[in-house]
């Protein structure tokens, strides 16, 4: 049998993982094994690999050369941010949810949903089907037939990622506080005590259309089309149980994982230099351990904020003022009391006039764990742009995703930042949400299944 035939036969077999995950909910929702198999069956030609390493060095060197400094820039900034589009990240069997400690991918698609069903069985079925689909897509496989045998058949997969590599896709699911409301799904007693809508915070300028949601989906990948395909197909699969609440596509990751260079936000400054990074820090500040609900053990809490930036005003500000606002140099990203990015800031250092070198209301000072009782949160944000606003100015900013084992930690930090951060003149928090993120399910189970078995 040829390699092509082996690939064709393998792709045409019903996907066992989706069948197992969906059948796990069959006892409560009546979903049949046949329908689960049908959702993953269809003709599937072999994918052609796009695994060439991608780097951003070419344009960087060309741009520097045109400015007369390309050789110097290239010599001092070696290429360190390459990706392999063939990388697969397993969905099942992980100790913690995927897409959190995972080194941040280049793109994100974030979407929140409102449940349109009042049936707890419908909710279970949805989470079972979503889990199975996430496993398939993280492998780079479609969620069903792209081209049915009959011309009257309806494709089970939308097809825009057909033939593309998995690109390190991760899909992260969150459950909002409203799922645990009284007289809704009968899950009131399983609501974690820490899961509640955020309080009103300084600098809030929230758009009601960008607030909350029953469920959240974060799809991250090194190919934007792969991330978009993931969320689009989940929305399509859940059409009879959910409606889309709000969504945002992110690009140019604004946080770094282990071994990644610190990226920049749209204001041009490095973002996330002092982020949570070690396993010990994840255990202390991110993962739920010893909480009040067993189904969330090993999971975490997601806080999302959509932060609009007034970029035209920012771009008109002088560099000295920009660096004072952040408390860091723009090019190197060093604290104003140091010379290198990872130098520890000295918040007590004064200049010849007795003034603090780092303004106490600089962003770096207000956000520092040293000045917040040791509180840390994991930042996993992405830049975004929505074109132009009603004033024909750039409508852009930060899709600010954070993870912590207590959403109150985010609220505590934001109270300080929102009250006196020098950056507030240039930003506005227009969207918000908080979600409990369960750990990765075991093979054959589905996300948050323990919640329904308690």
């Amino acid at each position: 049998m040829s390699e092509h035939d082996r690939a064709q036969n393998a792709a045409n077999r019903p996907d066992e993982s989706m069948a197992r995950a969906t059948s796990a909910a069959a006892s409560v929702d009546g979903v049949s094994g046949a329908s689960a198999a049908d959702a993953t069956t269809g003709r599937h030609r072999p994918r052609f690999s796009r695994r060439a390493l991608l780097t951003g060095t070419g344009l960087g060197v060309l741009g520097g050369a045109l400015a007369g400094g390309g050789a110097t820039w290239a010599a001092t900034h070696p290429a360190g941010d390459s990706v392999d589009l063939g990388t697969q990240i397993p969905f099942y069997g992980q100790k913690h949810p995927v897409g959190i400690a995972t080194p941040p991918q280049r793109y994100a698609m974030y979407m929140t949903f409102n449940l349109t069903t009042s049936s707890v069985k419908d909710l279970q079925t949805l989470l079972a089907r979503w889990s199975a689909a996430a496993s398939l897509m993280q492998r780079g496989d479609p969620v069903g037939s792209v081209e049915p045998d009959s011309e009257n058949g309806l494709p089970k997969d939308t097809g825009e990622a057909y033939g593309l590599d998995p690109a390190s896709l991760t899909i992260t699911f969150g459950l909002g506080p409203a799922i645990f409301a009284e007289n809704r799904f009968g899950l009131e007693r399983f609501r974690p005590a820490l899961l509640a809508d955020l309080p009103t915070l300084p600098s809030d300028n929230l758009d009601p259309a960008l607030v909350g949601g029953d469920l959240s989906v974060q799809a991250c990948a090194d190919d934007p089309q792969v991330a978009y395909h993931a969320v689009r197909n989940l929305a399509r699969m859940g059409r009879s149980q959910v409606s889309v609440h709000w969504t945002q596509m992110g690009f140019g990751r604004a946080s770094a994982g282990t071994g990644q260079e610190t990226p920049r936000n749209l204001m041009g400054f490095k973002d996330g230099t002092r982020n949570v990074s070690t396993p010990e820090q994840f255990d202390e500040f991110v993962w739920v351990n010893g909480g009040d609900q067993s189904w969330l053990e090993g999971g975490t809490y997601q806080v999302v904020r959509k932060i609009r930036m007034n970029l035209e005003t920012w771009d008109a500000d002088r560099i000295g003022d920009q660096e004072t606002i952040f408390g860091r140099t723009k090019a190197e990203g060093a604290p104003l009391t140091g010379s290198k990015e990872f130098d520890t800031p000295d918040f007590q250092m004064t200049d010849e006039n007795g003034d603090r070198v780092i303004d106490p209301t600089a962003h770096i000072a207000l956000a520092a764990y040293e000045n917040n009782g040791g509180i840390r949160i994991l930042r996993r944000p992405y830049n975004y742009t929505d074109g132009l606003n009603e004033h024909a100015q750039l409508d852009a900013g930060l899709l600010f995703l954070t993870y912590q084992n207590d959403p109150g930690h985010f609220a505590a930090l934001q109270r300080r930042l929102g009250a006196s951060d020098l950056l507030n003149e240039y930003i506005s928090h227009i969207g918000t949400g908080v979600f409990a993120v369960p750990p990765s399910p075991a093979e054959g189970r589905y996300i948050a299944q323990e919640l329904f078995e308690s």
Side-chain angles (χ1 to χ4, degrees), residues 381-405:
Y382 287 83
N383 299 312
Y384 80 83
T385 179
D386 288 338
L388 300 178
N389 62 22
E390 65 274 18
H391 306 296
Q393 294 181 326
L394 293 173
D395 189 352
L398 197 65
L399 177 63
F400 192 61
L401 290 155
T402 74
Y403 292 93
Q404 50 276 298
N405 50 25

Side-chain angles (χ1 to χ4, degrees), residues 18 22 39 85 90 98 151 167 182 207 218 229 234 273 286-287 313 326 331 336 360 404 442:
M18 190 165 190
T22 307
L85 293 178
V98 297
E151 64 179 17
E182 291 187 15
D207 179 346
Q218 170 197 281
H229 167 266
L234 294 176
T273 296
V286 179
W287 307 130
T313 305
F326 273 98
L336 297 183
Q404 50 276 298

Side-chain angles (χ1 to χ4, degrees), residues 95-443:
K95 184 177 181 180
H96 304 291
V98 297
I100 298 174
T102 309
Q105 303 92 321
R106 289 186 172 184
Y107 304 94
M109 188 72 192
Y110 184 81
M111 187 173 287
T112 68
F113 298 86
N114 290 325
L115 285 156
T116 57
T117 177
S118 59
S119 166
V120 69
K121 293 182 180 180
D122 284 348
L123 175 57
Q124 288 178 267
T125 302
L126 175 69
L127 294 176
R129 297 186 68 214
W130 273 5
S131 297
S135 175
L136 288 168
M137 291 187 287
Q138 287 187 200
R139 293 202 320 243
D141 292 330
V143 298
S145 63
V146 173
E147 185 180 352
D149 293 326
S150 169
E151 64 179 17
N152 295 319
L154 183 68
K156 301 294 185 181
D157 185 284
T158 52
E160 71 272 21
Y162 190 61
L164 300 184
D165 284 321
S168 298
L169 173 68
T170 56
I171 302 173
T172 309
F173 298 103
L175 283 65
I179 285 181
F180 303 92
E182 291 187 15
N183 302 318
R184 192 172 186 195
F185 295 110
L187 301 174
E188 301 94 315
R189 67 188 184 281
F190 301 119
R191 182 182 68 83
L194 298 177
L195 181 62
D197 293 328
L198 292 175
T200 300
L201 296 169
S203 79
D204 276 358
N205 187 23
L206 302 177
D207 179 346
L210 302 175
V211 173
D214 292 331
L215 298 167
S216 73
V217 174
Q218 170 197 281
C220 298
D222 286 317
D223 185 329
Q225 191 145 318
V226 170
Y228 179 82
H229 167 266
V231 173
R232 178 185 178 191
N233 276 270
L234 294 176
R236 186 173 188 244
M237 291 173 62
R239 191 168 294 166
S240 62
Q241 290 91 30
V242 293
S243 62
V244 175
H245 183 43
W246 66 278
T247 186
Q248 185 63 59
M249 189 150 196
F251 66 92
R253 59 179 178 80
S255 61
T258 303
Q260 294 179 327
E261 293 184 11
T262 309
R264 298 180 185 271
N265 58 39
L266 294 184
M267 290 177 165
F269 279 76
K270 291 185 176 182
D271 210 327
T273 296
R274 310 185 79 200
N275 209 0
V276 169
S277 58
T278 67
E280 294 76 17
Q281 290 173 350
F282 272 89
D283 286 340
E284 183 175 358
F285 299 106
V286 179
W287 307 130
V288 173
N289 181 21
D292 61 321
Q293 295 293 341
S294 61
W295 64 268
L296 193 56
E297 286 294 292
T300 186
Y301 293 93
Q302 176 193 82
V303 173
V304 59
R305 305 283 280 187
K306 184 173 180 178
I307 304 173
R308 180 177 292 160
M309 295 177 174
N310 302 320
L311 293 178
E312 280 86 357
T313 305
W314 176 259
D315 292 342
D317 201 2
R318 59 187 180 85
I319 186 62
D321 196 36
Q322 290 185 357
E323 293 184 338
T324 295
I325 289 168
F326 273 98
R328 290 188 177 275
T329 60
K330 193 166 188 176
E332 170 62 28
L336 297 183
T337 55
S339 59
K340 299 296 183 183
E341 177 188 352
F342 293 99
D343 288 347
T344 301
D346 184 348
F347 298 111
Q348 305 306 316
M349 182 182 290
T350 57
D351 60 19
E352 61 275 11
N353 298 317
D355 296 323
R356 297 278 179 87
V357 176
I358 298 177
D359 192 298
T361 56
H363 187 74
I364 186 178
L366 291 173
Y369 65 87
E370 297 96 329
N371 301 328
N372 287 283
I375 290 176
R376 291 176 183 257
I377 61 174
L378 175 69
R379 302 162 53 90
R380 215 176 189 279
Y382 287 83
N383 299 312
Y384 80 83
T385 179
D386 288 338
L388 300 178
N389 62 22
E390 65 274 18
H391 306 296
Q393 294 181 326
L394 293 173
D395 189 352
L398 197 65
L399 177 63
F400 192 61
L401 290 155
T402 74
Y403 292 93
Q404 50 276 298
N405 50 25
D406 183 352
H409 292 168
F410 173 86
L413 291 174
Q414 186 53 37
R415 285 191 189 97
R416 295 197 72 219
L417 290 164
S420 55
D421 191 352
L422 292 175
L423 192 58
N424 289 340
E425 181 180 351
Y426 303 93
I427 63 174
S428 180
H429 289 237
I430 61 173
T432 190
V434 59
F435 301 88
V437 180
S440 172
E443 183 82 31

